[in-house]
Amino acid sequence: MKAINIKEKFSKFNKNWHPHQIAVVDDMQVILAKLKGEFVWHSHEHEDELFQVIKGTLHMHFRNRVEVVKEGEVIVVPKGIEHNPKTIDNEEVHVLLFEKISTAHTGNVQHEKTQTEYPKI
């Protein structure tokens, strides 16, 4: 049991849309990711996702609206809800995600940005 310095962990990687696992809590994982630009429309049939914005502003697109999530704020995307995280003006946004280990990066969608393994840092 040691404290995890999130800022230090973010300094260990640069690639956007490439999640890194920093902890496991029961069957949940804590992930850090750097986001820039547009991701891909997807949903997770059986898992909720929690996004906490550590740095920047995240624009979480849903089919019927956009939710702006600012630094220090959290949004939970319920299972089955199609979403597409985006950033604007070339901003790199840092997020902490909390989700089940079984959660597929892009749900059932296969895309060039899909990751199947999250490096542990």
Side-chain angles (χ1 to χ4, degrees):
M1 290 183 291
K2 287 188 174 186
I4 298 170
N5 184 310
I6 292 172
K7 185 175 180 180
E8 184 265 329
K9 294 292 186 184
F10 271 114
S11 74
K12 292 186 174 282
F13 66 97
N14 292 315
K15 193 171 181 184
N16 292 308
W17 305 109
H18 195 270
H20 289 72
Q21 185 187 85
I22 61 167
V24 173
V25 181
D26 291 329
D27 66 342
M28 306 291 285
Q29 60 185 340
V30 182
I31 298 167
L32 298 181
K34 294 179 179 179
L35 316 179
K36 189 174 188 179
E38 183 174 351
F39 193 48
V40 58
W41 281 103
H42 69 286
S43 64
H44 306 281
E45 187 176 345
H46 302 289
E47 302 96 0
D48 298 333
E49 281 186 298
L50 180 146
F51 292 76
Q52 178 182 4
V53 176
I54 303 297
K55 175 184 170 190
T57 302
L58 177 65
H59 296 258
M60 186 63 75
H61 288 246
F62 300 102
R63 288 297 183 183
N64 62 347
R65 67 187 171 93
V66 176
E67 192 69 31
V68 177
V69 189
K70 298 176 184 171
E71 198 168 300
E73 295 182 334
V74 170
I75 188 168
V76 175
V77 178
K79 61 182 136 265
I81 300 297
E82 199 172 18
H83 58 288
N84 186 2
K86 297 180 184 181
T87 73
I88 59 170
D89 297 329
N90 213 30
E91 179 182 26
E92 183 175 78
V93 175
H94 295 188
V95 296
L96 179 148
L97 295 98
F98 191 67
E99 62 188 26
K100 288 184 181 177
I101 293 171
S102 62
T103 304
H105 189 221
T106 53
N108 291 331
V109 174
Q110 290 301 311
H111 188 272
E112 64 186 29
K113 291 182 181 176
T114 301
Q115 301 297 314
T116 56
E117 293 185 23
Y118 302 160
K120 296 177 182 170
I121 55 172

